[in-house]
Amino acid sequence: MRKKISYVLIFIFAVLSLSKAEDLDGYQLFDKIVLVVNGEPVLKSDIDFAKEWYKISDQKAVEEKIIDSILLYQQARKTGISVSPNEVENAILSIAKANGFNDLETFKKELEKNGISYSKLKEFITRDLVANKFLRFYLREQITKGVVEGTLEDVKKIKIIFISKNREDYDQVVKKLQKELNKNNFSEYATRYSDDKFTAENGGLLGEVKKGDLAQELDKEVFSHKEGDIFKVDTQEGTYFIYIVAESRKLIPKEELTKEELEKLKKAYDLYLKKLREKAVIQRFE
């Protein structure tokens, strides 16, 4: 008898119940572009896949969930937050075990039997994990004020300027910043040049980060520099200029949240997504 497969959407403010995806024999993908979110296309296969895993039949509701996920993912990448392949694999393995599979290979074969794309599943989980990590980082201070439980960790208060490789004047701006940037003009230049508009609004201030909050290439550099340093990090997406404003050892609150903290987070989350949507370019196609 075929085992039934379920997916738990991992998100910071809610835990969805396991749901069974049945009758997926003959599940086929007919691709065409349905949405474009800040230049990133969403295919019909993405919508069909999301309907099965989110267990939502309404097309518009699924589209809205995908848009939110993409917006958070895009913002996370701009601020240098990512997840490792190992984190993604562990998340998928947890899903597999929750459904009675003890290894990924067996789970992959069962997905194939049901006509479900493993690469599509991996893509969705990666995006949700990155969004989840970004939310925990970005909203941490807002939801944990007054919390005294946690662990002592080294933290660095940083400002960033992100220059995207997609801009026409990329080389020119990078050279200018390399030559002129200092701690006195960093905030001004962040506001003027940074392609990460949310930190740019605050003079490049990203806030306090602990080890593991940022993408590996950024994390390594941030925690190998000291207070007052300004340095450049090149990535596939573009170039980061980072200024270590301060460093200290702080109590990092526990990850578990109370009901009140979750409610506070939900409100902050809704407000943040509203701001992201106001700045986003979203195109819909029939």
Side-chain angles (χ1 to χ4, degrees):
M1 183 176 179
R2 178 176 296 172
K3 292 186 178 181
K4 298 174 183 177
I5 301 171
S6 61
Y7 172 58
V8 182
L9 177 60
I10 306 168
F11 233 77
I12 189 68
F13 63 85
V15 178
L16 303 183
S17 300
L18 284 170
S19 57
K20 304 298 182 181
E22 301 182 41
D23 301 324
L24 293 177
D25 289 296
Y27 180 69
Q28 296 179 338
L29 307 178
F30 299 95
D31 271 6
K32 67 175 183 178
I33 295 176
V34 178
L35 295 166
V36 177
V37 183
N38 288 333
E40 183 170 337
V42 177
L43 305 177
K44 183 178 183 299
S45 62
D46 296 320
I47 302 295
D48 292 341
F49 184 89
K51 283 181 179 179
E52 293 297 338
W53 287 106
Y54 294 152
K55 301 310 294 177
I56 299 175
S57 58
D58 183 73
Q59 174 95 3
K60 182 166 177 55
V62 171
E63 288 180 5
E64 295 306 309
K65 286 185 76 71
I66 291 177
I67 289 170
D68 288 348
S69 179
I70 289 175
L71 288 175
L72 287 169
Y73 178 80
Q74 289 174 340
Q75 190 59 29
R77 293 300 298 155
K78 284 181 182 179
T79 52
I81 292 174
S82 68
V83 293
S84 68
N86 190 51
E87 287 176 278
V88 176
E89 187 171 295
N90 286 338
I92 296 176
L93 185 57
S94 295
I95 294 169
K97 288 182 177 179
N99 290 276
F101 300 94
N102 292 320
D103 63 272
L104 284 180
E105 286 307 311
T106 305
F107 185 55
K108 287 180 186 178
K109 289 178 182 178
E110 190 64 27
L111 289 173
E112 291 173 3
K113 286 181 184 178
N114 286 278
I116 299 174
S117 166
Y118 178 76
S119 61
K120 189 69 70 176
L121 171 62
K122 190 174 180 181
E123 176 188 325
F124 267 64
I125 291 177
T126 300
R127 196 165 63 204
D128 280 342
L129 286 175
V130 171
N132 180 33
K133 193 171 186 179
F134 174 67
L135 282 174
R136 287 204 312 272
F137 162 72
Y138 185 81
L139 301 174
R140 181 192 294 148
E141 265 191 57
Q142 298 181 48
I143 62 174
T144 55
K145 287 178 181 177
V147 176
V148 295
E149 294 182 46
T151 57
L152 281 172
E153 294 191 42
D154 293 324
V155 297
K156 309 236 181 185
K157 183 178 181 180
I158 65 173
K159 291 184 178 182
I160 67 168
I161 297 175
F162 171 63
I163 308 301
S164 171
K165 286 184 177 177
N166 293 328
R167 60 189 292 170
E168 292 181 0
D169 59 350
Y170 168 77
D171 290 328
Q172 179 184 345
V173 172
V174 168
K175 288 178 182 177
K176 178 180 178 64
L177 294 180
Q178 280 183 291
K179 182 179 179 180
E180 301 178 8
L181 197 61
N182 59 59
K183 66 179 182 180
N184 295 320
N185 63 21
F186 197 98
S187 294
E188 176 192 344
Y189 278 31
T191 302
R192 187 186 304 175
Y193 294 110
S194 183
D195 290 313
D196 177 13
K197 299 307 178 185
F198 280 86
T199 55
E201 289 176 357
N202 294 313
L205 183 63
L206 180 60
E208 292 183 335
V209 298
K210 61 181 178 63
K211 199 161 184 60
D213 276 341
L214 303 176
Q216 187 175 3
E217 60 266 45
L218 298 181
D219 201 68
K220 179 180 177 182
E221 292 298 323
V222 166
F223 283 89
S224 65
H225 283 80
K226 63 183 186 301
E227 182 176 326
D229 286 354
I230 295 176
F231 53 94
K232 178 173 73 77
V233 182
D234 294 315
T235 69
Q236 288 185 342
E237 290 85 6
T239 295
Y240 289 85
F241 290 89
I242 302 175
Y243 171 30
I244 309 237
V245 180
E247 53 188 354
S248 59
R249 192 163 176 77
K250 278 196 169 184
L251 185 73
I252 302 300
K254 57 181 174 57
E255 292 289 341
E256 296 81 8
L257 302 176
T258 65
K259 181 180 178 181
E260 290 74 21
E261 289 169 338
L262 285 171
E263 289 175 355
K264 188 176 181 181
L265 174 60
K266 181 63 167 64
K267 290 179 182 178
Y269 168 81
D270 290 339
L271 179 60
Y272 187 71
L273 266 180
K274 182 181 178 182
K275 290 180 180 178
L276 283 178
R277 281 176 171 269
E278 287 172 352
K279 295 176 180 291
V281 177
I282 301 172
Q283 300 168 281
R284 299 176 186 269
F285 300 91
E286 295 295 333

